[in-house]
């Protein structure tokens, strides 16, 4: 693994902290699935963690919740707590566990209680501002890659023990 040096206006995910940091996101965040805007906000958060592209959290009041239903299962994050999952269903199209949320996150992450994060790989498109994001490799972390962040990024084959 060789760290990519960030250019002007870019951030290296290798400069992000561990444990992760929560910060407000001033950019517009959007999620689309099956031709429908599922989420649209200018009131989001992002979580920054070493080696990961940012994960964006959108308040549920800015999510079209009629298209989501609770999915079975959950996971545990040592920093944020217990996550629950959401399945999208629009016009007969289904994306299992397309999003997750923390209903009772740990104290440092309390502001994202009830916010949803979406896997870019499990929806039609996600945007930060006007830029369409690329999905972080793998099915675990769910970060959104934009031109503002450089890696290499954890998540792909051979990166598990970075």
């Amino acid at each position: 693994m060789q760290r990519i040096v960030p250019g002007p206006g870019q951030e290296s995910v290798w400069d992000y902290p561990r444990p992760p940091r929560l910060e407000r996101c001033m950019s517009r965040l959007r999620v689309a699935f099956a031709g429908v805007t599922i989420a649209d906000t200018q009131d989001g958060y992002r979580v920054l963690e070493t080696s990961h592209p940012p994960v964006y959290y959108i308040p549920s009041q800015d999510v079209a919740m009629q298209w989501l239903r609770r999915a079975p299962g959950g996971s545990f994050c040592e920093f944020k707590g217990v996550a629950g999952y959401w399945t999208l269903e629009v016009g007969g199209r289904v994306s299992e566990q397309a999003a997750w949320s923390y209903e009772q996150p740990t104290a440092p992450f309390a502001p994202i209680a009830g916010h949803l994060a979406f896997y870019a790989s499990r929806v039609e498109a996600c945007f930060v501002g006007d830029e369409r994001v690329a999905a972080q490799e793998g099915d675990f972390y769910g970060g959104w890659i934009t031109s503002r962040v450089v890696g290499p990024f954890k998540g792909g084959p051979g990166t598990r023990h970075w």
Side-chain angles (χ1 to χ4, degrees):
M1 185 279 303
Q2 179 150 345
R3 177 185 186 269
I4 298 170
V5 176
Q10 290 183 316
E11 302 170 343
S12 169
V13 297
W14 292 95
D15 295 332
Y16 291 165
R18 186 166 174 86
R21 178 177 72 234
L22 178 67
E23 64 179 37
R24 297 289 302 184
C25 177
M26 297 299 152
S27 298
R28 181 180 181 196
L29 306 172
R30 291 180 292 139
V31 177
F33 179 71
V36 173
T37 298
I38 300 299
D40 191 344
T41 193
Q42 289 186 284
D43 194 27
Y45 285 91
R46 67 183 194 152
V47 172
L48 307 178
E49 182 175 358
T50 304
S51 77
H52 303 280
V55 173
Y56 292 89
Y57 288 84
I58 299 171
S60 59
Q61 65 264 24
D62 294 333
V63 176
M65 295 300 293
Q66 71 268 25
W67 305 115
L68 289 112
R69 60 179 157 76
R70 290 280 184 178
S75 61
F76 176 76
C77 170
E78 64 183 304
F79 304 113
K80 294 180 287 300
V82 176
Y85 290 87
W86 298 87
T87 292
L88 268 169
E89 187 167 359
V90 177
R93 288 190 52 205
V94 177
S95 180
E96 298 289 340
Q97 296 187 338
W100 72 94
S101 62
Y102 294 91
E103 297 310 307
Q104 296 180 326
T106 61
F109 294 91
I112 63 168
H115 287 53
L116 281 80
F118 289 84
Y119 287 101
S121 62
R122 297 181 188 178
V123 297
E124 187 175 293
C126 297
F127 297 87
V128 176
D130 291 327
E131 183 177 357
R132 186 175 182 157
V133 308
Q136 181 177 10
E137 258 191 285
D139 286 333
F140 187 72
Y141 300 110
W144 292 7
I145 301 171
T146 66
S147 60
R148 289 194 56 224
V149 294
V150 296
F153 307 110
K154 189 170 184 173
T159 66
R160 183 180 177 122
H161 298 291
W162 283 2

